[in-house]
């Protein structure tokens, strides 16, 4: 029956070490784990924005939040603030926060905006997080236990330090064997199942189950198994990023509580605040802008906050990527996790969340023997296929509602012929009801209906040809605004209360660093 006694992970980036830690922390684990990483192939070194799901992932591996904050330059992220996506005007911005609107389980608050064509910003009034996050305040106080919160949050982390912390934790806590070696060859049996890897220098590494976390190289899933790559360029064409690290002007400068995402002529720039520096990157479509122009655009952006001298001296790095994914990331006894499985632009920082979901699946449905590889792989592949479809739909939503047509890039990005049937159906249905739970029927959906509400209303989708809205006599099937006022009043009260109680983001991080147990806690 072929019991799974030895798991071999190829690649020591965030995907490899996160998977190693999750498997290592499995209760009653009856297999060994070896992670091999090449000394000559660097990790991608980006991936600084996470989702709130990372809290549960870190808890599952017994890693203290204070250690994360101390070791990884981490800060707390409360959502993404989008600038210039609708019209490009100076006052054009909206927030996609991590907190849900009030009474979310049973009441579709977004419906008031759709029905009445409300123009005041949805995000600003349906969650206290808008006030807290946009005033650089923290979502918790220093007394709040690890991972608990007043307002939901994820993290901004230094990607290289994060992978290093996960490595140290996996090795010391779970006994994961770490080998530095460059995989140069692969052996398989007559049924096509992998049996061992050959390392440069001649060593051989045998295993029963292999996890391909080799990044864009996709050594096992691509080079060996030749699993087809499904390009997503026709939907989301961005395929290059120029990235840089920007110093703060003063050590005590405010730390943004959200990822900033600023639309540009040929893409968008992310801006992430860590404790000791910011991370910025210009994601763009290489068909419309040269690498040199993109680099200059990033420098110009940085110049606004740090001045010309610092901006022109920034060390900029270019990363090329083909947007897309492997249709069947798990084949035989090999599963691809991380960049080897695919990547689509980091507009909503979904890549680490995909790694978390993949690792969770492996923990919950670990193929303890070869007979289970087939059923487990089919279930995994279905789940990932569905996730990739959701990512494409949700990211595309950010573009298609834009009024921008000021550059060829925006004309192409908003082109309706690049919209999937699923998104097209949603947009049609939202003319008669706002985004709601039926749009996201799976219990483990990547993006909840609330996320669709924040982006759809943030982009003023409800003011665009909505059926039954204000002026078209559609009030009879929905509650009156008198119902809404007390709900929003409560949100406002809570926002003011939290605004008084919450420390500044940096203030909280300083306090947590000083109170770092410098040790990992029990899972
Ligand atoms: C521009 C950009 C921005 C991003 N921003 C975000 C974000 O904000 N949020 C988010 O969630 N994600 C983001 N991502 C994605 C995120 O960076 C990755 O999902 C994450 O870092 C995981 O990468 P990885 O471990 O799969 O690959 P890598 O970090 O590339 O690691 C690959 C590993 O494989 C090893 N390897 C390669 N070849 C061999 C070999 N022959 N033998 C042995 N080992 C080998 C390497 O040594 C390395 O250790 C971003 C990606 C890009 C490109």
């Amino acid at each position: 029956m072929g019991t799974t006694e030895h798991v071999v992970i190829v690649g020591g980036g965030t995907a490899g070490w996160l998977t190693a830690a999750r498997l290592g922390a499995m209760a009653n684990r009856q297999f060994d784990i070896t992670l091999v990483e090449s000394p000559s192939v660097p990790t991608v070194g980006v991936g600084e924005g996470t989702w709130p799901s990372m809290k549960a992932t870190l808890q599952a591996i017994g890693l203290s939040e204070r250690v994360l904050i101390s070791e990884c330059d981490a800060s707390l992220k409360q959502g993404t603030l989008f600038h210039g996506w609708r019209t490009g005007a100076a006052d054009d911005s909206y927030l996609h926060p991590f907190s849900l609107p009030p009474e979310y389980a049973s009441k579709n608050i977004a419906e008031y905006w759709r029905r009445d064509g409300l123009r005041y910003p949805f995000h600003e009034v349906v969650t206290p997080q808008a006030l807290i996050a946009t005033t650089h305040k923290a979502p918790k106080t220093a007394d709040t236990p690890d991972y608990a919160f007043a307002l939901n949050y994820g993290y901004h982390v230094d990607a290289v330090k994060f992978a290093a912390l996960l490595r140290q934790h996996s090795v010391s806590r779970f006994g994961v064997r770490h080998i530095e070696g460059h995989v140069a060859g692969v052996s398989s049996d007559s049924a096509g199942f992998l049996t061992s890897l050959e390392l440069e220098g001649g060593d051989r590494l045998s295993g029963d189950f292999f996890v391909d976390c080799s990044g864009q190289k996709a050594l096992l899933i691509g080079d060996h198994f030749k699993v087809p790559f499904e390009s997503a360029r026709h939907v989301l064409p961005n395929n290059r990023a120029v990235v840089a690290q920007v110093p703060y002007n003063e050590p005590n400068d405010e730390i943004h509580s959200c990822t900033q995402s600023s639309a540009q002529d040929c893409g968008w720039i992310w801006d992430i605040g860590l404790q000791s520096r910011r991370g910025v990157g210009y994601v763009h479509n290489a068909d419309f802008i040269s690498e040199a122009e993109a680099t200059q655009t990033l420098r110009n952006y940085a110049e606004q906050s740090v001045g010309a001298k610092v901006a022109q001296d920034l060390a900029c790095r270019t990363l090329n990527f083909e947007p897309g994914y492997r249709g069947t990331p798990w084949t035989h006894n090999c599963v691809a996790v991380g960049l080897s499985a695919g990547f689509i632009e980091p507009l909503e920082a979904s890549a680490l969340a995909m790694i978390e979901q993949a690792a969770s699946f492996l923990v919950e449905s670990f193929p303890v023997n070869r007979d289970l590889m087939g059923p487990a792989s089919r279930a995994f592949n279905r789940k990932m296929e569905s996730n990739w479809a959701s990512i494409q739909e949700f990211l595309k939503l950010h573009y298609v509602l834009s009024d921008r047509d000021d550059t060829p890039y925006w004309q192409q990005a908003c082109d309706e012929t690049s919209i999937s049937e699923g998104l097209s159906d949603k947009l049609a249905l939202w003319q008669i009801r706002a985004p709601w739970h039926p749009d996201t029927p799976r219990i483990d959906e990547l993006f909840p209906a609330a996320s669709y509400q924040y982006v759809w209303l943030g982009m003023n989708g409800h003011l665009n040809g909505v059926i039954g809205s204000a002026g078209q006599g559609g009030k009879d099937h929905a509650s009156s605004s008198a119902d809404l006022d007390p709900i929003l009043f409560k949100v406002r009260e809570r926002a003011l209360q939290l605004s008084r109680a919450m420390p500044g983001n940096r203030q909280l991080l300083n306090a947590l660093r000083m109170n770092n147990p410098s040790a990992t806690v029990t899972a």
Side-chain angles (χ1 to χ4, degrees):
M1 175 156 91
T3 312
T4 306
E5 291 173 357
H6 189 193
V7 174
V8 176
I9 299 172
V10 181
T14 310
W17 285 114
L18 204 55
T19 307
R22 285 297 319 266
L23 291 177
M26 269 175 74
N28 305 321
R29 169 164 62 93
Q30 298 196 339
F31 53 88
D32 295 326
I33 305 168
T34 300
L35 185 147
V36 56
E37 68 176 315
S38 170
S40 56
V41 182
T43 61
V44 70
V46 285
E48 300 190 324
T50 85
W51 287 8
S53 55
M54 190 58 80
K55 295 197 296 296
T57 296
L58 297 180
Q59 272 179 297
I61 62 170
L63 191 63
S64 151
E65 181 171 63
R66 283 158 209 249
V67 170
L68 175 87
I69 284 167
S70 297
E71 306 282 318
C72 301
D73 208 6
S75 65
L76 307 186
K77 168 183 174 183
Q78 297 186 55
T80 301
L81 200 47
F82 293 92
H83 305 287
W85 283 77
R86 217 166 37 219
T87 61
D91 63 347
D92 167 15
S93 67
Y94 72 94
L95 176 69
H96 173 197
F98 286 148
S99 292
L100 301 171
E103 304 190 18
Y104 177 67
S106 56
K107 199 173 182 80
N108 188 352
I109 297 281
E111 182 59 12
Y112 291 91
W113 268 255
R114 187 204 70 80
R115 187 199 64 188
D116 295 343
L118 299 183
R119 285 182 176 274
Y120 55 87
F122 179 71
H123 72 265
E124 244 176 65
V125 292
V126 300
T127 168
Q129 192 146 45
L131 178 65
I132 301 306
T134 55
T135 50
H136 312 310
K137 295 230 167 186
K140 64 196 288 181
T141 66
D143 300 334
T144 316
D146 268 16
Y147 304 114
F149 53 82
L151 293 164
N152 203 5
Y153 65 89
Y155 304 98
H156 290 136
V157 294
D158 179 306
V160 173
K161 291 179 178 172
F162 187 41
L165 176 63
L166 291 169
R167 178 182 65 221
Q168 181 260 326
H169 188 70
S170 302
V171 170
S172 65
R173 180 69 181 281
F174 305 123
V176 173
R177 190 160 71 113
H178 177 207
I179 295 178
E180 283 212 350
H182 188 86
V183 177
V186 175
S187 299
S188 50
D189 64 17
S190 56
F193 283 72
L194 299 181
T195 51
S196 65
L197 307 176
E198 288 121 52
L199 307 186
E200 261 177 18
D203 284 348
R204 188 171 280 276
L205 190 54
S206 303
D208 306 302
F209 184 54
F210 293 79
V211 189
D212 184 351
C213 297
S214 63
Q216 288 183 319
K217 301 264 179 211
L219 272 187
L220 307 181
I221 202 73
D223 286 0
H224 177 73
F225 281 111
K226 309 228 172 326
V227 168
F229 183 83
E230 313 281 341
S231 176
R233 254 210 114 189
H234 56 295
V235 182
L236 293 155
N238 286 340
N239 61 349
R240 192 167 61 193
V242 178
V243 306
Q245 300 184 354
V246 180
Y248 286 113
N249 292 317
E250 301 292 337
N252 276 329
D253 277 357
E254 295 285 7
I255 299 174
H256 282 296
S257 302
C258 298
T259 298
Q260 313 281 314
S261 168
S262 302
Q264 305 293 318
D265 285 351
C266 299
W268 57 276
I269 288 178
W270 83 72
D271 190 338
I272 281 177
L274 302 180
Q275 292 173 48
S276 71
R277 64 165 175 86
R278 288 154 53 205
V280 298
Y282 184 11
V283 180
H284 55 274
N285 181 343
D287 292 350
F288 291 111
I289 185 170
S290 71
E291 189 179 337
E293 288 167 324
T295 305
Q296 192 53 47
T297 304
L298 189 67
R299 291 190 194 285
N300 294 345
Y301 172 85
E303 185 177 328
Q304 294 162 27
S305 52
V306 294
K309 171 82 179 78
V310 174
Q312 292 314 316
D313 288 348
L314 290 177
C316 294
R317 198 159 63 96
T318 300
L319 297 166
N320 294 294
F321 58 89
E322 175 66 22
Y325 58 95
R326 307 272 162 191
T328 49
W330 186 335
T331 180
H332 296 77
N333 58 341
C334 173
V335 61
V337 176
L339 295 177
S340 59
F343 178 67
I344 295 179
E345 61 172 288
L347 184 54
E348 285 282 358
S350 45
L352 293 177
M354 282 287 274
I355 294 168
E356 293 177 80
Q357 286 222 353
S360 285
F361 184 100
L362 293 181
V363 167
E364 287 157 10
S365 311
F366 186 78
V368 290
N369 59 49
R370 190 173 277 197
D371 293 345
L372 285 168
M373 294 288 169
S377 64
R378 286 188 287 278
F380 182 88
N381 290 340
R382 279 194 296 273
K383 180 181 166 81
M384 291 301 145
E385 178 81 41
S386 165
N387 280 354
W388 286 116
S390 300
I391 288 173
Q392 290 182 77
E393 269 189 17
F394 187 57
L395 299 196
K396 190 70 184 175
L397 178 66
H398 295 64
Y399 291 97
V400 292
L401 297 173
S402 179
D403 291 338
R404 293 190 67 152
D405 58 2
D406 46 318
T407 64
Y409 169 87
W410 280 98
Q411 287 157 16
Q412 188 205 56
C414 303
D415 181 8
E416 293 191 1
T417 59
S418 59
I419 307 177
S420 69
E421 189 181 48
L423 179 56
S424 183
D425 287 351
K426 284 188 174 71
L427 289 167
L429 283 171
W430 297 341
Q431 294 187 354
I432 52 170
R433 64 140 173 86
W436 192 226
H437 300 312
D439 296 314
T440 52
R442 273 176 35 204
I443 192 122
D444 60 346
E445 291 278 357
L446 274 182
F447 304 99
S451 290
Y452 283 93
Q453 293 177 348
Y454 284 121
V455 174
W456 185 65
L457 292 172
M459 293 295 292
N460 280 348
H462 65 305
L463 300 179
N464 193 2
V466 167
I467 298 168
S469 65
Q472 296 176 40
K475 290 202 172 196
D476 52 343
H477 63 284
S479 328
S480 77
S481 296
D483 294 343
L484 182 61
D485 291 344
I487 297 172
L488 300 189
F489 179 77
K490 269 199 220 161
V491 173
R492 182 76 193 151
E493 288 288 288
R494 178 83 177 130
L496 294 174
Q497 188 189 37
L498 287 174
S499 183
R500 287 189 293 271
M502 292 300 120
N505 222 359
R506 185 178 287 286
Q507 197 187 346
L508 173 75
L509 295 168
N510 287 345
L512 295 180
R513 276 178 79 104
M514 284 173 64
N515 193 9
N516 166 20
S518 286
T520 48
V521 295
T522 311

